[in-house]
Amino acid sequence: MDADVIVVGAGPAGLMLAAELRLHGVRPLLVEQLAEPSAEPRARGIGPLAAEALRRRGLDEPLRAHQPRGLSDRRRDHGSEKGHFAWIHKIDQQLQEEPDRAGALIWQPDLERVLADHAEALGVRAHREHVVTGVEQSADRVTVTCRTPAGERRLASAYVIGCDGGRSAVRKLTGFAFPGTEPLMVARRARADVVCPAGLPPTGRTPTGTLFHAPGMVGTFDFEDVRTDTRAPVTAQELEASLRRVAGAEVEVTAVHQAMRFTDQARLVPSYRSGRVLLAGDSAHVHSPNGGQGLTLGLLDAANLGWKLAATLRGTAPEGLLDTYTAERRPVAEATLHNTRAQSALMRPGPHTDALRDIVSDLMDIPEVNRYFGRLLSGLDTRYALPHAGPDAHRLTGAHCPDLNLRPAASDGTAATTLARLAEQGGPVLVHTGQPQVERAARPWHGVLRTARVAAIEYDDLSALLVRPDGVIAWAAGTDGPADADGLERALRAWFVPSDRQEAVAR
Ligand SMILES: Cc1cc2nc3c(=O)[nH]c(=O)nc-3n(C[C@H](O)[C@H](O)[C@H](O)COP(=O)(O)OP(=O)(O)OC[C@H]3O[C@@H](n4cnc5c(N)ncnc54)[C@H](O)[C@@H]3O)c2cc1C
């Protein structure tokens, strides 16, 4: 074997996954077709759940550093700081249930640099100029064939993860189905020099699509010339034709500095796993970028899969742990595809859609409706259905944990800390406020858990909680009544084998 796991693709999902695997003691081998990281400015930010996942790995600083530029670029390109649904810019962070749980604005190449540095600090570097052309699995291994400048290379590992984007070679070579819906539109976005003697109409809807422009930048959502092959470079002539169709204006594009084309096709694999091959990120799901949800999906796929696959490889995974990956992540992707389809429908040109947009826009002025759209795009109301949780489980069970301030127990001299800091080493975290039954129930997992006894958890109605390595609350206790120690034990058994069995496996 050349590695425990081969991760194909050093985009955001692959970099995060390789780092997560390494953090959990696995040897990943990361292969990437490109000689250099991509400079394509696709995503301009990540949602709150992804930002929190990165903060739990100590990456708060770089996210903060990029925020001011991200904000000013968003104002420039969107004409608004607010979030949008189908380009109706009304989602107001201050109106949301938890306004402090915000995303981070950072251009994708910068994010990839942050993730690459993080992975490298853990000892993972991408093997570049490795184009995967073959994937074969047998009972005990997967063999990956790569085309490299030095010739063909065959690499073997126990598992392979395709993080190789929407056109995933791993997905196709393994034979995953990829059903979904065809595109309604093609979007084009370019940094280009455009001459338009009569002046372009203002950014916004036109009778045939949507136009947006800012100094040095133009874009169209074009419902007329819908093509599915988006690989060929965008030419000046193609941009001119699309601008003429959408803006209804005579234009000349004298230079194209950078351009991309993408569609709103929406597809999702039926399962994220086929034997020893798994998928994460865009390789498992594609949809329109409207609402900026793709990166968050991929980064959280990686966070969900990393520790589960590591435990499976170590032989310390409870029965069926790896199968919970599809069970938990696929419904989230399905919901995302659903809302992006709705956005495409709301962006169709024509007077009927204009009327519908007016109504949706008015509805978004109602604070509860504004919060509805906020939740839809942020995923903050995501709740995994955890099989061990009974009907009386705390309302946060299955949710992703916000960063929490933890007030230290006055007598033990420890400093105030946050959940993110406790989670940085990657393991599960148990925080409690000194309930003896919690300490007793967790004792068999003492070597597995990072346990913190605190005076208070600064969040509404929380006196204890068990947080999985991916930040998901597996069990929690409120402030009313005794903590349910049986529920805690069931949760611990469901996700982690006790310390003595882990030690026996290690021996
Ligand atoms: C215009 C635009 C705007 C967007 N805006 C946002 C946004 O604001 N927020 C957001 O969350 N998302 C946004 N997205 C979506 C986001 O860019 C994607 O969801 C994200 O890039 C997916 O990450 P990934 O790692 O899964 O795949 P990718 O980023 O596609 O990375 C895949 C990697 O695999 C490599 N690879 C491919 N094939 C092979 C092979 N055969 N062998 C080896 N390596 C291979 C590629 O070179 C690449 O490095 C946007 C997308 C577009 C197009």
Side-chain angles (χ1 to χ4, degrees):
M1 298 269 189
D2 296 285
D4 297 325
V5 181
I6 295 172
V7 178
V8 181
L15 288 164
M16 176 85 175
L17 197 38
E20 287 292 295
L21 288 166
R22 193 68 207 105
L23 197 59
H24 291 97
V26 164
R27 278 184 315 135
L29 199 154
L30 178 59
V31 295
E32 162 61 47
Q33 65 180 2
L34 299 177
E36 296 291 335
S38 165
E40 201 173 45
R42 284 196 272 169
R44 60 171 69 239
I46 54 178
L49 293 180
E52 288 168 359
L54 298 188
R55 289 191 189 109
R56 280 193 296 275
R57 296 297 178 256
L59 300 176
D60 184 42
E61 245 343 276
L63 292 187
R64 278 182 199 280
H66 286 276
Q67 186 72 11
R69 178 185 164 204
L71 202 55
S72 76
D73 287 358
R74 183 166 170 172
R75 266 189 233 117
R76 177 197 66 198
D77 298 343
H78 286 208
S80 172
E81 277 181 22
K82 291 187 178 162
H84 73 89
F85 186 79
W87 288 74
I88 304 172
H89 282 85
K90 285 201 170 177
I91 301 176
D92 186 341
Q93 187 62 27
Q94 294 317 312
L95 286 178
Q96 304 306 304
E97 272 123 14
E98 298 174 89
D100 292 343
R101 297 185 76 181
L105 292 169
I106 176 168
W107 284 102
Q108 188 160 335
D110 296 325
L111 177 70
E112 290 184 16
R113 206 167 306 121
V114 169
L115 291 170
D117 289 348
H118 170 57
E120 206 173 320
L122 291 163
V124 187
R125 281 183 83 156
H127 293 251
R128 294 196 165 272
E129 297 186 270
H130 279 54
V131 185
V132 170
T133 56
V135 176
E136 283 162 53
Q137 43 175 328
S138 62
D140 69 337
R141 64 183 54 205
V142 194
T143 306
V144 168
T145 308
C146 299
R147 195 175 62 236
T148 79
E152 195 172 273
R153 196 169 168 200
R154 282 167 70 79
L155 300 163
S157 60
Y159 287 89
V160 165
I161 310 173
C163 296
D164 50 344
R167 298 192 190 102
S168 171
V170 174
R171 184 186 69 230
K172 291 173 192 162
L173 292 163
T174 310
F176 283 89
F178 202 36
T181 47
E182 294 293 320
L184 288 185
M185 66 178 174
V186 170
R188 295 177 180 84
R189 192 167 88 185
R191 303 245 157 244
D193 300 335
V194 178
V195 181
C196 182
L200 283 169
T203 283
R205 280 169 67 73
T206 71
T208 49
T210 300
L211 169 75
F212 49 100
H213 56 93
M217 189 273 243
V218 284
T220 55
F221 287 113
D222 189 338
F223 286 77
E224 285 184 10
D225 177 33
V226 180
R227 48 179 92 177
T228 46
D229 182 8
T230 52
R231 256 168 291 196
V234 180
T235 62
Q237 291 73 20
E238 180 188 338
L239 264 182
E240 283 172 359
S242 184
L243 282 166
R244 276 187 211 117
R245 272 193 302 275
V246 173
E250 234 359 273
V251 292
E252 192 189 346
V253 175
T254 53
V256 179
H257 306 293
Q258 189 171 50
M260 70 180 93
R261 185 195 304 106
F262 51 93
T263 79
D264 62 339
Q265 67 171 319
R267 298 183 182 280
L268 175 62
V269 287
S271 168
Y272 286 24
R273 178 182 177 193
S274 167
R276 294 182 168 275
V277 181
L278 295 125
L279 302 176
D282 277 15
S283 66
H285 35 72
V286 293
H287 52 82
S288 99
N290 283 329
Q293 304 164 86
L295 275 180
T296 298
L297 271 185
L299 293 173
L300 292 193
D301 287 350
N304 191 289
L305 177 56
W307 66 280
K308 293 177 181 175
L309 186 56
T312 305
L313 280 157
R314 273 200 312 270
T316 58
E319 183 72 24
L321 182 67
L322 200 50
D323 294 327
T324 65
Y325 171 52
T326 295
E328 292 183 344
R329 293 305 300 157
R330 192 178 180 281
V332 181
E334 202 164 25
T336 304
L337 263 62
H338 194 66
N339 84 53
T340 60
R341 286 187 184 115
Q343 294 189 69
S344 289
L346 259 184
M347 292 181 68
R348 277 183 154 143
H352 295 82
T353 315
D354 289 342
L356 187 57
R357 288 177 70 87
D358 286 346
I359 291 170
V360 172
S361 175
D362 286 349
L363 286 172
M364 288 172 84
D365 293 333
I366 302 169
E368 185 44 46
V369 177
N370 203 285
R371 283 191 276 279
Y372 168 84
F373 281 101
R375 282 195 298 268
L376 205 58
L377 299 189
S378 68
L380 282 172
D381 61 346
T382 301
R383 296 284 184 281
Y384 295 154
L386 305 185
H388 55 81
D392 297 332
H394 190 279
R395 69 186 166 84
L396 290 178
T397 310
H400 285 83
C401 193
D403 195 12
L404 298 169
N405 289 318
L406 306 172
R407 194 143 22 96
S411 54
D412 72 1
T414 49
T417 189
T418 64
L419 185 91
R421 248 177 262 151
L422 291 178
E424 265 178 34
Q425 297 313 310
V429 174
L430 176 68
V431 182
H432 65 86
T433 44
Q435 299 94 321
Q437 72 274 34
V438 169
E439 288 186 347
R440 258 195 314 275
R443 209 162 285 148
W445 285 268
H446 68 276
V448 178
L449 296 169
R450 174 139 198 211
T451 303
R453 182 183 171 161
V454 298
I457 301 169
E458 295 187 353
Y459 198 77
D460 193 24
D461 189 31
L462 266 184
S463 67
L465 80 166
L466 171 66
V467 182
R468 300 189 328 195
D470 55 350
V472 170
I473 299 178
W475 169 87
T479 46
D480 265 357
D484 168 22
D486 290 345
L488 171 59
E489 199 181 324
R490 276 199 308 279
L492 283 163
R493 270 192 204 295
W495 301 112
F496 315 106
V497 301
S499 308
D500 57 349
R501 277 182 53 207
Q502 302 238 2
E503 282 156 18
V505 170
R507 278 199 296 273

